[in-house]
Amino acid sequence: MSKDVFVFCEQRDGKLLNVGFELLGEAASLAQDLGQQVVAVLLGEGIDRHAGELIHYGADEVIVVDDPILKEYLTEPYAKALAAIIKDRDAEIVLFGATSIGRDLAPRISARIKTGLTADCTGLNIDPETKLLMMTRPAFGGNLMAVIRCKNHRPQMATVRPGVMQPMEKDESRTGKVVQFNVELSEADKNIELLEVIPKNKNVTDITQAKCLVSGGRGLGRKENFQLLFELAEVMGAEVSASRATVDADWIEKERQVGQTGKTVRPDLYLACGISGAIQHVAGMENSGLVIAINKSDTAPIFGVADLGIVGDIHAILPRLKEAVIKAKKEGIGYKAPSVEQYVGLENVLYHVQNGIAYLTINRPKQLNALNRKTLTEIGSIADKLKDDESVKVLIVRGAGGRAFVAGADITEMQEMSEDEGRDISRLAQEMFNRIKELPQIVIAAINGYSLGGGNELAMACDIRLASSRAKFGQPEVNLGLIPGFTGTQRLSRLVGDGDSKKMIFTTEMLSAEEAMRIGLVNVVVPPEGLMRTARDLALKIMSKSMCAVKLAKQAINQGLALEFKQGLLVENDRWTECFSENGDGKEGMTAFVERRPARFN
């Protein structure tokens, strides 16, 4: 019977490629859903020294084939060795990086073992009912996303582009086993002779590893204007990247291209300058931590995925931005930009406003956005700022990085707490989450990964919950000798019912996004690459309605749910009556309906 998730971990010149670590992180999530193990496969000569590092990044077992013939990549010997491992171990899933080697090797394996292969995947998840691998990839020129399954053959195989997935944090305490696998290889297995290996130019920039990218599009006007980006990138400590249009125009080299036909990047900051935002480009960068877009057209599609948008001429904006960065670096943490009213950067939380939508990002990605006292306090300060801000209609709450929304409370801070300190942090969290729940704005949780313990409780305080298909939900507290203490025992039971809430809390089982939606914990599940786009579209759809009526409806629901049914009806009646007041939208809405014209709400 097929089992385990296998990852082909590519090496070149005896060095592991980052895409292998990225795939191990994704494989760990898939294996957890299947109740199986993660197996890394390492082929080469003298490369068993890397086995321990693969275990630290998520492998439970490493299979090594060590042979001089495998020192340099040749299709036939590699295909023979890997096919032998897959047949011997009867793999359930095999993942490859969509590199030049992976794209050559994966289809050869697919043909040899007579199974399917889905290329260039951007999302992978396990169907909770069938336990099949759901492989998401762009189709029809990137205009839609196709979900592909391999029902009848094993293993299920996919290639994934570098930069799409995110590796786990390295854990040197992890242990696993290393297995030497023998494959009889000889010179006869080679169908070509390798005459010379020419090293790749080491001066070529690898934009997939950059923490900050300044990216240029056709809006730059001409090739020479890329110099503006290189100058800004130098003072920011960033790299320069580009859209396909500028590469096709021979303004910049192909190695710097971002997008469906270029490279997939995930920097902490992506500054898009003069890029329109075609879906093919967005597919390569929308999982960036913070996206800032500068474009002359206020209808440019790039603003649909940007966290912060600036409408204006890049030739006027970039030199001033460069000056501001230089001044900020010189003056240090005390520096304040000329206008910072709409952007707040705290230690653990980011907050900004764009076109009536506010974004609150829990910003501790290395700790999987775990909640500590400081983070909770900062969430409360943002809630205080929002409650009187009538310019903001919708708040979107999310987690930084690609692995977690919020993976619970910060246990390292809590482990030495006394009873009084434990009571205090519980009350603090309950108060902060209640402030989020009681905001006049509509609050949307965009859940992009683990939503556990306190993270799940934060998500439940939001009005609407959207989840990536990779998201996982759970209340793991009793594993630690605790109970949910940040509103979990009360809010979860009211949301999904007595039975499902007790099952989640008592068993600590993690739920897939689809299962969470089935029990009512989540409202919508979307592919990972579409999460923020869906959240923004939903926010805009809500904002197109009567916001006065939307807010009154939220008040009626929230206040009424805490009461007996008849008392709840009285709350509903009071809010209904307000719709007819001079400040309400009811009269305008009804008049517009009768006159068959669009309503002009306040």
Side-chain angles (χ1 to χ4, degrees), residues 96-99 103 117-123 136-138 145 158-162 164 260-261:
F96 300 79
T99 61
R103 284 172 169 159
L117 172 68
T118 304
D120 283 350
C121 293
T122 57
T136 304
R137 72 176 308 276
M145 305 304 291
T159 64
V160 180
R161 294 173 67 179
V164 171
Q260 190 177 331
T261 55

Side-chain angles (χ1 to χ4, degrees), residues 127-294:
D127 185 300
E129 294 183 5
T130 65
K131 299 300 181 182
L132 290 172
L133 179 64
M134 311 293 283
M135 298 168 278
T136 304
R137 72 176 308 276
F140 292 97
N143 291 310
L144 58 82
M145 305 304 291
V147 179
I148 299 170
R149 295 179 294 176
C150 182
K151 293 182 179 180
N152 301 319
H153 301 279
R154 291 295 181 272
Q156 303 164 88
M157 290 185 19
T159 64
V160 180
R161 294 173 67 179
V164 171
M165 306 304 180
Q166 193 164 7
M168 296 170 58
E169 288 292 318
K170 186 176 182 180
D171 181 0
E172 296 187 357
S173 67
R174 287 191 90 254
T175 58
K177 64 179 179 177
V178 179
V179 177
Q180 297 288 337
F181 191 91
N182 294 319
V183 181
E184 295 296 330
L185 296 172
S186 67
E187 293 296 321
D189 292 311
K190 298 181 180 179
N191 59 353
I192 61 170
E193 182 182 357
L194 188 63
L195 297 179
E196 182 183 3
V197 176
I198 301 174
K200 187 176 181 180
N201 183 359
K202 293 188 181 297
N203 293 324
V204 174
T205 300
D206 183 2
I207 60 173
T208 65
Q209 301 303 307
K211 295 296 184 184
C212 179
L213 285 173
V214 179
S215 198
R218 192 158 32 196
L220 286 172
R222 56 196 180 114
K223 179 178 183 178
E224 290 72 19
N225 289 333
F226 259 99
Q227 186 59 32
L228 288 171
L229 304 193
F230 280 102
E231 291 175 2
L232 177 60
E234 184 177 358
V235 300
M236 292 177 65
E239 295 289 352
V240 173
S241 56
S243 68
R244 176 175 175 172
T246 61
V247 172
D248 289 348
D250 200 27
W251 292 359
I252 198 166
E253 59 269 24
K254 171 75 173 176
E255 286 78 9
R256 296 184 184 270
Q257 182 184 329
V258 173
Q260 190 177 331
T261 55
K263 294 180 178 179
T264 300
V265 297
R266 196 193 290 263
D268 295 334
L269 170 64
Y270 189 86
L271 179 59
C273 306
I275 294 174
S276 64
I279 192 169
Q280 291 86 351
H281 181 81
V282 170
M285 49 64 68
E286 66 179 337
N287 285 322
S288 302
L290 180 70
V291 179
I292 300 175
I294 306 172

Side-chain angles (χ1 to χ4, degrees), residues 87 108-116 150 152-155:
K87 289 178 180 178
R108 308 283 181 147
I109 299 296
S110 173
R112 285 185 183 223
I113 59 181
K114 296 181 173 56
T115 190
C150 182
N152 301 319
H153 301 279
R154 291 295 181 272

